[in-house]
């Protein structure tokens, strides 16, 4: 042990689900773990995606030694195209993760200058005073890793996203013996996945889904359409295997599914017996009970292949009675309405739909309570920080640790931006750094709160524009003000009210003696109109007074 | 049997959850069952509530004999204040339901002219050729009923909202013997609640919650704050009873909770031992472990008592470590985000929070699959229409009936507006009537789709207003156009883009030879600007060109 201090600073993923990013900082060196994005919540109107605020890193970018990516999901990789515009550092990840990142960086025309380095599970890399070991874990994407990070202050274990699947359908199980070994050697701090900390018991093995798929394909009277995440390569493999066993051919639809299947086959992560996969234009020649279709759209995404089928808008696939649709995914919170609409529309077309509430067609990718306790017990850390979860998940996970005997003061419930400082004397939260949401909207990074507040107001009650024409010499109003509304109320009803509103504005302005101070005039118009419209309609549209000087 | 035809027309609640309304029509007579509202879905921006379209009834209002209300929840009663402005008919319901409707009609100043008539469970009323019998069921509100309706065509059984709780905490169990008796006599059509048709097994009894509340109140170190639906009178009774058994006093907060507790006590539906209930201003004198608080806010409603506590904005209650908050309700779909935020914020203040995912603090009010099958088996109808549910719930419920031997062609999956016609020869769907959503926004009934589409556009990308000043004699543009944006992008970035946009507009107008056709000029401005802004920002704000003639 030295007298050095280590700072652990979450910049995303703690207190929210998604946009995971963690900073480990020593006096002269810094590494980042993960750089993910988050999809916008329902009140972030018009926002395309949300990424972490990296201003703390930006101000110290000379210290940055590396960006470590634990696995290839978007909530761990999706901010890379934005982060790499400002930060230069090698990116360390496993092979499939690298494949997925490459596809993304290519889209953003950033692949050439990126320094991607492949690491195998079990491998150790040296980054200045940090030594980072990749430790194999099971998750809903192959090639996932947790990390064991040696620092001058002690060993830090980062679980990544994980579950303990002892019979994974692809690759090997979580390297529990290594966690145990590290635990015996002594671990200063455990950072562990809290996404399903509320769920009692064990997460079932991926094999459960394979058995269901077999049963479905054996008994379905017609085509079987399986919709899942494009990154869930092991699920795609299970679908191909089950199709093969049941004498069905497999067709792939949806851009990201087609791309990922191709990439995974090239890298050897997906294998298909000859003649099982077939091009989609051959679909029309097949008898229905010989067909399996793998599709995007498990989250009800409006432009996805499955949603196009549900709205009779898919070029190759017309849903008909006899079709069986399998939703092999769980809803990401916030997507429930879109997913339910898709299921309902498929049902209206006569399909039978199987989804998690009524059939065993998906298992979660994250550890439940008994698995979390197992890892806590094997790693046996001195300090514990629950990561990856909303506040109640972190609380519940901390409570699990405390129930196992961890001292209450040694479990830190951190949120994004908190600085946890560790040295030989112990650990404590010493301050906060900026860690707000950064909104990406169209081509712009960084839409601000004012814009979002305006959008919420506009979206809820619409806008009323008032145009005042003014003589620039005398400062007097010329003619009547003009009032135009959008998103406010039905044209018929609005006409009468807007006509009266015009008179209210004229009256409000008459009471003013001189019109030299236009800020004051505008405020007066806004107040008078706002009050009048609320009284008549109980709504508060945005009032936008505009002055035209002639 | 006569040669009369009976029409069964759902106007709400089939294909969606909420705004339940069903029409039964004979050649010269008509009755309505339920008149509910629905809370807006997330894409119905700014809408306060949604009610059924009653234009079909309005055109035949002389035939209307009665409005029957099965129970006092808003999704069965909430449209009454709007319906009663247009339709005159007596309202038949049980006593507690009448109490709840009265509170609502009083708010809308409609109580005096309303003709409310109290019916007891088991009672039969004659309405022209209809004879309506109220049959007791258990649900998450006392005094709930299903209906047995004798018509010249045959007997129709309507389940209302129900579950089969054999040990209800208030009132008596569902009158299963009566369903069985009706089944033996012969039932033409069963209309049965599908809300939880996806859920296997049995819904647990309300008693389960009582046992949890007892355990929580016995062991909680400080105050216990229970949040539930204000209409869930039996839950409130359980809280009062558990508090009394554990030597705690009960305080009530939240306007609708205070109102309903008062009404239910006056009508005798709620009983409290002396000195258990106490006024909230005495709360500060109590020791924490002697306190229970009953509160609104179980759905995270922004102005509710619990949400005010979570945001440190409640006048009497400051959340502190040691407090235990019980969320004794399940999330209504769409409210998950608000509820989760409330839980997280309470956690940040140090409270322990118990909710359905982690504790037995709520049971559903609707029947699960085994209960639905029990009712199908006892009532043994010739025809079956699953009611109250989204399309997939109706499908699943129909499939349950078919698995029990009902012929596929005798189960009708209807949606709002479908006309099912029944006579001695059989039943079939003969057409559709208007049954769209009617949106209530502020004081207006009937916001149209154009307004909602405009709001979605405004909310997602904002608005850009372009003002063209034109000489009314020459038709020439005076000066530069003015461009103002709201909700579009950050002011700093916007300035440069809007400046260029102004030049684009000028250029687009120069290409036009004369400016006499203003519709054409506006279209030209809109096109040029829309294209330019999309290219620069990948956004599509609403473009509003306004012409000022001087």
């Amino acid at each position: 042990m030295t007298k050095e201090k280590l700072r652990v600073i979450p910049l995303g993923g703690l207190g929210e689900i998604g946009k995971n990013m963690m900073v480990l900082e020593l006096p002269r060196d810094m590494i980042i773990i993960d750089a993910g994005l988050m999809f916008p919540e329902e009140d972030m109107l018009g926002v395309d995606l949300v990424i972490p605020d990296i201003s703390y890193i930006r101000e110290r970018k000379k210290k940055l030694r590396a960006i470590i990516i634990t696995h290839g999901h978007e909530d761990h990789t999706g901010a890379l195209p934005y982060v790499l515009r400002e930060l230069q550092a090698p990116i360390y990840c496993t092979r499939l993760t690298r494949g997925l990142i490459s596809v993304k960086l290519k889209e953003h025309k950033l692949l050439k200058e990126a320094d991607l380095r492949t690491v195998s599970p079990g491998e150790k890399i040296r980054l200045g005073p940090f030594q980072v070991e990749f430790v194999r874990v099971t998750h809903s994407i192959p090639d996932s890793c947790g990390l064991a990070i040696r620092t001058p202050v002690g060993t830090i274990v980062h679980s990544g996203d994980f579950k303990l699947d002892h019979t994974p359908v692809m690759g090997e199980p979580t390297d529990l013996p290594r966690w145990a070994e590290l635990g015996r050697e002594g671990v200063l701090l455990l950072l562990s996945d809290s996404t399903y900390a509320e769920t009692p018991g064990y997460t079932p093995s991926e094999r459960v889904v394979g058995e269901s798929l077999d049963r479905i394909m054996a008994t379905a009277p017609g085509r079987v359409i399986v919709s899942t995440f494009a990154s869930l390569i092991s699920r795609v493999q299970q679908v191909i295997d089950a199709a093969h066993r049941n004498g069905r051919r497999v067709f792939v639809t949806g851009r990201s599914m087609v791309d990922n299947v191709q990439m995974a086959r090239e890298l050897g992560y997906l294998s298909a017996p000859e003649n099982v996969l077939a091009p989609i234009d051959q679909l029309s020649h097949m008898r229905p009970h010989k067909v399996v279709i793998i599709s995007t759209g498990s989250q009800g995404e409006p432009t996805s292949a499955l949603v196009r089928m549900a709205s009779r808008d898919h070029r190759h696939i017309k849903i008909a009675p006899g079709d069986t649709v399998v939703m092999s995914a769980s809803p990401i919170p916030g997507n429930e309405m879109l997913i339910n609409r898709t299921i309902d529309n498929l049902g209206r077309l006569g399909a039978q739909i199987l989804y998690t509430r009524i059939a065993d067609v998906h298992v979660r990718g994250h550890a439940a309570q008994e698995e979390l306790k197992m890892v806590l017990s094997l790693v046996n850390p001195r300090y514990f920080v629950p990561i990856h979860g909303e506040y109640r998940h972190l609380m519940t996970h901390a409570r699990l640790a405390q129930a196992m005997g961890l001292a209450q003061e040694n479990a830190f419930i951190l949120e994004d931006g908190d600085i946890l400082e560790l040295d030989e004397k112990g650990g404590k939260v010493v301050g906060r750094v900026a860690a707000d949401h950064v909104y990406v909207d169209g081509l712009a990074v960084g839409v601000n709160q004012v814009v979002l507040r305006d959008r919420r107001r506009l979206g809820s009650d619409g806008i009323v524009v008032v145009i005042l024409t003014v003589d620039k010499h005398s400062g007097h109003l010329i003619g009547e003000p003009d009032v135009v509304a959008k998103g406010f109320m039905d044209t018929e009803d609005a006409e009468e009210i807007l006509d009266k509103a015009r008179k209210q504005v004229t009256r409000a302005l008459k009471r003013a003696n001189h019109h030299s101070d236009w800020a004051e005039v505008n405020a007066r118009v806004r107040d008078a109109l706002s009050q009048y419209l609320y009284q008549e309609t109980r709504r508060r549209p945005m009032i936008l007074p505009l002055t035209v000087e002639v």
Side-chain angles (χ1 to χ4, degrees), chain A residues 60-74:
Chain A
R60 291 156 183 79
K61 62 181 170 186
K62 289 207 177 127
K63 293 170 68 173
L64 184 63
R65 299 290 158 258
I67 301 170
I68 318 276
I69 305 290
T70 57
H71 64 282
H73 279 152
E74 297 234 71

Side-chain angles (χ1 to χ4, degrees), chain A residues 85-268:
Chain A
R85 286 178 201 161
E86 302 192 63
L87 304 177
Q88 283 182 329
I91 298 163
Y92 292 88
C93 56
T94 54
R95 212 157 62 91
L96 178 65
T97 308
R98 181 183 179 149
L100 288 159
I101 292 174
S102 300
V103 170
K104 186 161 288 290
L105 291 182
K106 207 168 176 181
E107 271 173 32
H108 284 83
K109 301 191 173 64
L110 289 166
L111 184 57
K112 274 185 195 153
E113 62 251 53
D115 178 5
L116 289 167
R117 303 189 189 180
T118 307
V119 182
S120 301
E123 203 176 326
K124 292 171 187 158
I125 51 174
R126 159 81 38 208
L127 300 163
F130 297 100
Q131 188 214 63
V132 179
E133 176 183 346
F134 281 63
V135 182
R136 196 179 55 232
V137 298
T138 47
H139 182 44
S140 45
I141 186 169
D143 253 15
S144 293
C145 281
L147 306 167
I149 304 163
R150 315 278 186 172
T151 77
V153 181
T155 301
I156 295 172
V157 168
H158 185 295
S159 73
D161 275 358
F162 81 103
K163 62 174 176 175
L164 300 181
D165 188 341
H166 298 290
T167 56
V169 295
M170 190 177 283
E172 287 170 70
T174 298
D175 194 351
L176 275 179
R178 188 65 191 133
W179 291 137
E181 217 166 9
L182 289 160
R184 262 198 311 274
E185 291 169 12
V187 169
L188 180 70
L189 171 67
L190 170 65
L191 307 161
S192 181
D193 180 11
S194 314
T195 315
Y196 275 83
E198 288 171 322
T199 308
Y202 262 91
T203 295
S205 169
E206 290 281 333
R207 291 218 182 256
V208 172
V209 180
E211 289 157 18
S212 292
L213 289 173
D214 257 333
R215 219 169 19 246
I216 293 164
M217 291 187 198
T219 57
R223 301 184 295 189
V224 174
I225 299 159
V226 182
S227 161
T228 191
F229 300 105
S231 64
L232 191 33
I233 305 295
S234 58
R235 189 67 47 81
V236 173
Q237 183 70 63
Q238 287 187 297
V239 174
I240 291 171
D241 294 347
H244 183 55
R245 277 193 295 272
N246 289 282
R248 291 174 180 256
R249 294 192 76 184
V250 175
F251 301 81
V252 180
T253 182
R255 195 181 56 81
S256 60
M257 187 63 84
V258 170
D259 289 354
N260 279 5
V261 165
Q262 189 191 336
M263 186 275 295
R265 290 185 79 193
E266 282 168 15
L267 294 183

